[in-house]
Amino acid sequence: VLSISRKPWRGLTFGTHLEVPRDIPLPLAVERPLPAAAEATAVTGATVASAARSGAAGSATVSRTVVLSKGALFDWDRRVTVAAEHLLARFPDGEPALIRRLSEAIPAGAFVYLGNSLPIREWNQFASTDDRGLAIGESRGANGIDGQVSTFLGWASPDRENWAVLGDLTALYDLPALWALRHLENVRVRIVVVNNGGGRIFQRLFRDDRFQNRHAIGFEAWASLWGAEYHAGLPPGAVGPAAIIELRPDDDQTEAFWAQLAAETRG
Ligand SMILES: Cc1ncc(C[n+]2csc(CCOP(=O)(O)OP(=O)(O)O)c2C)c(N)n1
Ligand SMILES: [Mg+2]
């Protein structure tokens, strides 16, 4: 992820943020097709003033600041990709590996709705890149976590399986949404709740734990309230028309993954 702004910005959980001072033109050259890293030259002399590396306790933000050079961007990107690949195998129960496995388990041709905000970021970074004809949808807007279940159900259609990947707080923000299930005919919906016990994106952005709204709520009762099937973990076999699938990543492994990725790609 490359973000560019005129002002300091600390919201990046992964990638590179470029802060371009007002007196330096925006580096629009990077919008053209990019050459191979070997041919890369600096597109601007703008040195970047702000780093998005967070000092949050026990965690690390894998983002950094660079002098804008295509070669530097690609080299770092490659290093992160290679490091992430071996860490996915080393921490198989952490959230990134769980997202990878989920992306491999969703049947070819399905519609996949990605919720704000970690699910879409983590899918972007860790989902399998095999082309299995998945149709991806999302409602990014201003990153709102409200109405995500409703948006998904409104988008779901009978001609394919419909999957949503949502955070736990995102699901809690839209508890009445499953009312709409009774109005869906011949529509197969699978709502995956990645339950990491709070708004964990904030663990990587802020020092104060209160931002996370930690909780110990499970989602089985949500499924039974609305007559949906419930699965703890990815179901191995056939699933009925409406299912809630709750995935619980291992906290320690998730933290270790991010800390290790930051350590291995620093510099
Ligand atoms: C309507 C709305 N309220 C609050 C926020 C601020 N916010 C952004 S992410 C987030 C936490 C999301 O938690 P969860 O769905 O569990 O995802 P996680 O970060 O754990 O993956 C919150 C409260 C928002 N984006 N939209
Ligand atoms: Mg969460």
Side-chain angles (χ1 to χ4, degrees):
V1 175
L2 170 64
S3 70
I4 302 176
S5 77
R6 291 287 191 197
K7 292 182 178 170
W9 186 54
R10 293 190 165 270
L12 198 62
T13 47
F14 170 76
T16 299
H17 178 64
L18 297 171
E19 183 190 328
V20 183
R22 291 214 170 274
D23 53 333
I24 295 177
L26 288 171
L28 298 177
V30 295
E31 289 181 359
R32 289 198 220 108
L34 291 159
E39 308 156 23
T41 50
V43 292
T44 169
T47 340
V48 177
S50 92
R53 179 169 287 148
S54 131
S59 188
T61 297
V62 183
S63 60
R64 65 168 204 167
T65 293
V66 295
V67 175
L68 184 57
S69 123
K70 291 169 188 170
L73 284 175
F74 279 113
D75 287 348
W76 189 66
D77 224 41
R78 261 190 291 274
R79 267 170 54 211
V80 173
T81 306
V82 169
E85 224 31 63
H86 90 84
L87 293 173
L88 287 172
R90 189 162 148 206
F91 301 111
D93 297 323
E95 200 163 315
L98 206 130
I99 294 286
R100 166 66 60 86
R101 282 203 297 286
L102 174 63
S103 72
E104 291 165 344
I106 293 178
F111 170 60
V112 184
Y113 181 89
L114 299 172
N116 297 330
S117 61
L118 274 188
I120 192 166
R121 295 174 195 231
E122 290 176 336
W123 183 283
N124 190 41
Q125 200 177 349
F126 302 116
S128 160
T129 52
D130 292 349
D131 185 1
R132 293 187 303 115
L134 299 177
I136 304 291
E138 83 294 312
S139 176
R140 284 302 271 158
N143 215 357
I145 61 165
D146 51 338
Q148 296 271 300
V149 184
S150 305
T151 306
F152 162 67
L153 292 177
W155 204 331
S157 65
D159 53 337
R160 56 197 176 182
E161 280 203 15
N162 303 274
W163 288 67
V165 187
L166 307 170
D168 46 283
L169 285 190
T170 302
L172 290 171
Y173 264 55
D174 205 9
L175 287 181
L178 299 186
W179 172 269
L181 286 177
R182 69 193 61 201
H183 301 299
L184 299 179
E185 267 176 46
N186 300 319
V187 176
R188 291 162 293 163
V189 294
R190 289 85 179 82
I191 299 175
V192 178
V193 180
V194 181
N195 189 355
N196 51 22
R200 302 305 287 277
I201 187 170
F202 295 132
Q203 183 177 15
R204 294 168 53 201
L205 296 179
F206 301 116
R207 280 174 199 279
D208 190 331
D209 280 357
R210 282 177 296 184
F211 282 100
Q212 294 179 45
N213 287 303
R214 300 298 301 270
H215 65 82
I217 295 169
F219 287 84
E220 189 165 4
W222 188 40
S224 76
L225 174 64
W226 298 110
E229 235 174 88
Y230 172 81
H231 298 270
L234 281 172
V239 172
I244 306 298
I245 299 168
E246 183 170 7
L247 304 181
R248 289 183 184 259
D250 179 297
D251 241 18
D252 294 341
Q253 288 202 21
T254 303
E255 273 195 40
F257 177 95
W258 286 112
Q260 197 61 31
L261 188 61
E264 291 185 18
T265 56
R266 197 159 280 150

